[in-house]
Amino acid sequence: MLRTVKPKNARSKRALDAREPKEVEDARTAIFVRGTHTGEVVNGVMKELMALKRPDAISFSKKNMIRPFEDASSLEFWAQKNDASMFLVGQSTKKRPAGLVIARTFDSKVLDMCELGVDKFISMAEFKTQKSTPGHKPMMHFASELFDTHPRFIQLKSLLMDFFNGEEVESICLPGLEHVISVSLAPASALQTSGVDSTQDDVKNLPKVHLRSYTIKLLPSGTRVPRVELTEMGPFLDLSLRRCQAADPELWKAAMRRPKLKKQDIEKGLGKKRKNMEVDEMGDLRGRVHVAKQDLGKLQTRKMKGLKAAPGEGESDGDSGDDAEGADGSARRKKRRRD
Amino acid sequence: MDVSNILASHAAKFQSIAVEKDTPLDVDTGLLTVTDLNPVDEDSYKDNLEEYLQSTARDGIQTLIASLYALPTRASPDGPLAQLPPPTTHLPRAKPLPKPKPPTKWERFAAAKGIQKKVREKKVWDEERQEWVNRWGRDGKNKEKEEQWITEVKANADVDYDPVKAARDERKSRVAKNERQRLQNQARAQTALTDREERKKEIERTLATSRVSTASMGKFDKKLEGEKKMRGVKRKFEPTEVPIEKEKETSLAILSKIDGDARRSRKEKGGDDVLNVRKAIRTASRGRGGVALGRDSGRGGARGKRGGKR
């Protein structure tokens, strides 16, 4: 474990403060780790995925003796040391050729992992087209009904979204949208779509994953919304699912905890409570208005002669029609009217 | 004049932006993600893989772009900024939620008294020098007394009274006091309830409820060794005589609880098991409510639009 460091100067204090947990988090930083042996394919895949992930990527150029599914302690160590929360481990063995492990951490503990085998890889360099600018947010496209039903693919979708696009932003520059990462599945056999119990085992039966990246071109369409055309950008990957490690329910629950809604969000109606508004039995929206308590003492009722102030009270009672009366006289008249 | 030809030729110039799918696409604009839940078309998949993938991706992205362009925008030097809604897909956090800082003694006092926090400016205006100077720190205003070249001394002061030293000591003692208070606050924050202690309290509370949750309310349960006797709730009675104002208030509170709560009355909904009245109204009025429904039926179909007869 790392020892806790006490900052000695303001600069290192700022650096440590930047690592503190935040309410709205930044994009996950990914560490690209090479295993004991990585073939040419894995090297290429990692390089290109890193190009897509930049600038939130750290490359470990040396080889590491690591087996994430057996012992994740070094991942946890690196996560804490580098303030990173995502890993891409490339390893090629005889049993599992060209393997990629995507791992995600929470509080520098491994949350979940998924291993993918690379079946086909076409590099960016093979397409002589324009590439996207590093650091731009990609748009993501997932195509298959399994992304909503099958736990393995739900996890894969969540991992890939976190990898490429996890950051929550308030606004985005529309001309800055340049590229698309599309993840599609091969047609699923009937067994997978119907059977829920096929969650585990038989990894062979799971459909292949096609990961494609395109750049977009916006053409005028005669309306406000432009027409989209896609151009191949690369890399193109055909992946197959291998081992996986689902998240520990306790840890997952802790990781999914949301911050409390801000007061203004609640007032906008995003939160749960909208004060003094209600939909009634008949489906009508009803509002309640609170009015200050009415002072009935000041209520003007029918004017009667008998209720007028006694004549002895004010001496200038007779000349009420006189315009040249003094300021105090008119004030008195007003007072009388109010009574 | 027939404009259909012109319209058709105009439409032919541009390609369509409409996307038709069996299942509507699931768009999460907050994370710029679109999910196409339609099953994969096997024939075209086998026929030409790349073309098929690109065309489905194009359709999906077209939908996403359409929803992005529908968002409210704000101008910026680089182009329009679309204001994204919060994402609908929840992704796990990378770090736990930040813990709130334990309040200092002053902060607690200020909260109790309703004292607002004021930010003191670091610079103050120096009348003599006619410029802004630091309140503290280098050439700070708080060192003014120590640095002035002449100081008034009372006639009855000691012989060895050093006004500069006295001012300096006073300032230093203020700094020391602040530091002492900071350390005390720190110590207090450390002794505050940790997660573990809070959990312990919670367990104790659960245990207390479960102990009285048997049929005999725990009277005939086997006692464990070292089990503490439970402390019950001390009953507190209202005084028999209260001012009339207070009595009125309590009675009114009970009354308003009985009939005034609209939320409760909503739950006891009309209708029976067969007909859900709320739902029926919603369907009949197309979600616009009973008033709108009454207005429509009262007007009658033949009269047509509002204000047509004016």
Side-chain angles (χ1 to χ4, degrees):
Chain A
M1 263 296 95
L2 290 174
R3 70 207 144 84
T4 45
V5 198
K6 207 178 160 211
K8 282 198 181 119
N9 53 29
R11 187 163 53 116
S12 56
K13 185 171 187 299
R14 278 197 297 275
L16 278 182
D17 283 346
R19 288 184 172 206
E20 290 286 301
K22 291 175 196 144
E23 207 154 83
V24 177
E25 298 191 306
D26 303 333
R28 283 177 184 263
T29 310
I31 298 183
F32 289 71
V33 186
R34 261 160 259 263
T36 40
H37 177 259
T38 48
E40 198 183 335
V41 176
V42 174
N43 274 338
V45 170
M46 288 179 64
K47 201 173 144 198
E48 311 248 304
L49 286 182
M50 187 157 170
L52 289 180
K53 178 68 180 159
R54 264 201 183 114
D56 304 307
I58 298 170
S59 169
F60 280 10
S61 52
K62 283 185 186 160
K63 287 174 181 172
N64 284 286
M65 182 61 182
I66 182 175
R67 293 194 192 86
F69 282 93
E70 276 124 63
D71 178 26
S73 58
S74 18
L75 290 189
E76 289 168 4
F77 175 77
W78 290 330
Q80 198 173 24
K81 181 103 179 154
N82 294 286
D83 192 30
S85 55
M86 199 124 201
F87 286 94
L88 199 79
V89 184
Q91 177 122 323
S92 194
T93 58
K94 196 170 177 186
K95 192 175 172 189
R96 300 191 180 86
L100 282 178
V101 179
I102 305 182
R104 179 160 58 171
T105 66
F106 168 70
D107 201 9
S108 54
K109 283 190 277 297
V110 170
L111 186 68
D112 55 353
M113 284 193 275
C114 178
E115 186 175 23
L116 303 160
V118 183
D119 298 332
K120 202 181 93 185
F121 166 58
I122 307 175
S123 154
M124 255 186 214
E126 288 185 31
F127 302 101
K128 303 278 178 255
T129 51
Q130 204 167 8
K131 310 298 178 208
S132 68
T133 325
H136 277 214
K137 243 172 119 65
M139 290 184 279
M140 298 210 71
H141 169 252
F142 293 89
S144 174
E145 75 277 19
L146 289 183
F147 282 121
D148 210 27
T149 52
H150 199 287
R152 287 293 308 264
F153 290 106
I154 293 172
Q155 188 205 22
L156 181 73
K157 182 185 169 189
S158 165
L159 276 169
L160 287 176
M161 275 174 82
D162 236 347
F163 187 79
F164 290 113
N165 215 355
E167 195 181 11
E168 209 177 292
V169 288
E170 247 171 36
S171 56
I172 193 149
C173 187
L174 288 176
L177 295 171
E178 283 183 350
H179 63 302
V180 175
I181 290 166
S182 157
V183 185
S184 327
L185 299 187
S189 56
L191 188 138
Q192 280 144 11
T193 40
S194 60
V196 187
D197 46 31
S198 63
T199 51
Q200 286 299 315
D201 346 291
D202 244 9
V203 181
K204 289 257 158 36
N205 260 340
L206 293 175
K208 262 190 185 180
V209 181
H210 302 285
L211 195 145
R212 301 283 181 267
S213 48
Y214 307 101
T215 45
I216 65 167
K217 214 190 296 169
L218 300 176
L219 305 174
S221 70
T223 59
R224 196 173 119 79
V225 179
R227 176 171 167 97
V228 179
E229 284 298 336
L230 300 182
T231 328
E232 296 146 334
M233 178 177 85
F236 280 16
L237 297 171
D238 282 3
L239 306 163
S240 50
L241 291 187
R242 286 181 190 161
R243 291 176 290 176
C244 98
Q245 182 186 314
D248 176 46
E250 282 276 305
L251 203 60
W252 182 261
K253 208 178 137 198
M256 293 305 278
R257 206 162 275 161
R258 304 279 125 207
K260 259 191 201 163
L261 277 173
K262 294 273 181 311
K263 197 178 172 204
Q264 55 177 15
D265 286 350
I266 292 177
E267 276 163 6
K268 250 190 261 169
L270 293 174
K272 48 194 183 300
K273 196 167 180 186
R274 283 204 294 177
K275 261 185 116 178
N276 301 346
M277 276 157 105
E278 215 145 39
V279 178
D280 73 350
E281 191 93 335
M282 299 300 283
D284 293 321
L285 184 68
R286 287 191 180 272
R288 226 180 318 144
V289 182
H290 289 277
V291 188
K293 203 170 182 182
Q294 198 176 0
D295 186 8
L296 293 181
K298 284 184 183 163
L299 191 71
Q300 175 64 61
T301 52
R302 212 173 141 191
K303 289 174 189 164
M304 277 184 288
K305 259 196 180 155
L307 292 175
K308 270 190 178 173
E313 223 174 46
E315 56 271 270
S316 61
D317 241 21
D319 50 9
S320 59
D322 201 346
D323 285 325
E325 208 175 5
D328 55 5
S330 68
R332 209 178 302 133
R333 204 168 49 188
K334 254 180 215 159
K335 194 181 167 207
R336 207 185 310 130
R337 211 173 280 150
R338 223 183 290 130
D339 284 339
Chain B
M1 187 183 158
D2 188 17
V3 291
S4 59
N5 272 342
I6 305 171
L7 282 176
S9 68
H10 180 75
K13 256 196 283 179
F14 301 109
Q15 282 167 302
S16 149
I17 55 160
V19 177
E20 275 157 30
K21 293 271 180 183
D22 297 339
T23 325
L25 302 185
D26 182 10
V27 182
D28 183 357
T29 14
L31 284 175
L32 306 178
T33 302
V34 59
T35 311
D36 186 347
L37 294 177
N38 293 296
V40 180
D41 181 10
E42 219 159 317
D43 292 335
S44 43
Y45 175 85
K46 280 189 183 137
D47 222 31
N48 191 341
L49 173 67
E50 292 306 329
E51 204 168 281
Y52 170 72
L53 293 180
Q54 189 163 343
S55 73
T56 47
R58 197 214 76 80
D59 287 350
I61 296 303
Q62 179 74 65
T63 324
L64 178 62
I65 288 277
S67 60
L68 278 173
Y69 272 75
L71 291 174
T73 55
R74 207 179 44 192
S76 84
D78 298 328
L81 280 179
Q83 309 290 308
L84 297 178
T88 51
T89 322
H90 287 326
L91 294 173
R93 295 177 61 87
K95 284 170 192 171
L97 280 173
K99 283 201 186 99
K101 249 196 215 159
T104 61
K105 192 169 181 180
W106 163 253
E107 275 166 352
R108 237 176 301 156
F109 176 76
K113 292 280 180 189
I115 300 167
Q116 296 293 319
K117 186 173 174 154
K118 257 189 292 187
V119 179
R120 252 176 156 200
E121 272 171 41
K122 209 198 155 196
K123 300 258 185 183
V124 279
W125 180 251
D126 193 329
E127 275 295 334
E128 283 169 27
R129 279 193 271 171
Q130 288 294 307
E131 60 179 2
W132 291 95
V133 293
N134 286 336
R135 194 186 287 277
W136 74 90
R138 186 189 161 93
D139 299 332
K141 186 88 167 156
N142 60 345
K143 285 192 275 298
E144 201 180 31
K145 278 244 174 67
E146 302 158 34
E147 282 162 4
Q148 62 195 7
W149 59 275
I150 187 163
T151 318
E152 194 179 319
V153 176
K154 276 186 182 164
N156 58 357
D158 283 345
V159 186
D160 57 348
Y161 177 71
D162 181 359
V164 171
K165 187 175 173 298
R168 186 187 147 80
D169 283 351
E170 199 194 347
R171 178 173 63 83
K172 284 286 175 192
S173 74
R174 278 202 303 271
V175 172
K177 183 187 168 208
N178 195 350
E179 177 66 13
R180 203 170 56 243
Q181 283 178 333
R182 189 182 71 84
L183 289 176
Q184 278 170 351
N185 276 326
Q186 229 170 32
R188 216 172 290 127
Q190 268 168 3
T191 53
L193 278 189
T194 57
D195 281 353
R196 197 184 144 78
E197 279 164 43
E198 257 170 48
R199 179 102 185 105
K200 197 176 163 189
K201 267 200 170 167
E202 196 180 309
I203 288 172
E204 271 168 8
R205 228 176 297 140
T206 322
L207 186 69
T209 16
S210 61
R211 269 170 74 178
V212 291
S213 302
T214 55
S216 65
M217 293 178 79
K219 197 163 187 189
F220 299 113
D221 286 2
K222 212 175 117 189
K223 288 273 184 308
L224 292 176
E225 211 175 301
E227 202 174 12
K228 275 184 214 153
K229 202 183 160 199
M230 252 171 41
R231 272 197 287 168
V233 183
K234 220 169 196 184
R235 293 178 68 185
K236 197 179 157 199
F237 294 99
E238 294 292 315
T240 44
E241 281 178 36
V242 283
I244 194 84
E245 270 299 308
K246 212 172 178 192
E247 203 176 319
K248 193 178 105 189
E249 237 167 56
T250 44
S251 311
L252 278 176
I254 291 169
L255 266 182
S256 72
K257 228 182 229 171
I258 289 168
D259 73 344
D261 202 352
R263 220 170 267 275
R264 186 172 312 155
S265 68
R266 191 176 66 182
K267 263 184 201 144
E268 301 154 359
K269 58 177 177 227
D272 41 27
D273 295 341
V274 185
L275 181 69
N276 185 344
V277 174
R278 285 178 66 83
K279 196 170 179 186
I281 291 168
R282 208 186 323 140
T283 323
S285 66
R286 295 194 197 90
R288 286 177 304 155
V291 173
L293 190 66
R295 212 185 297 131
D296 283 357
S297 60
R299 204 161 56 217
R303 192 114 27 104
K305 276 179 232 146
R306 194 163 48 158
K309 230 186 164 186
R310 229 170 265 164

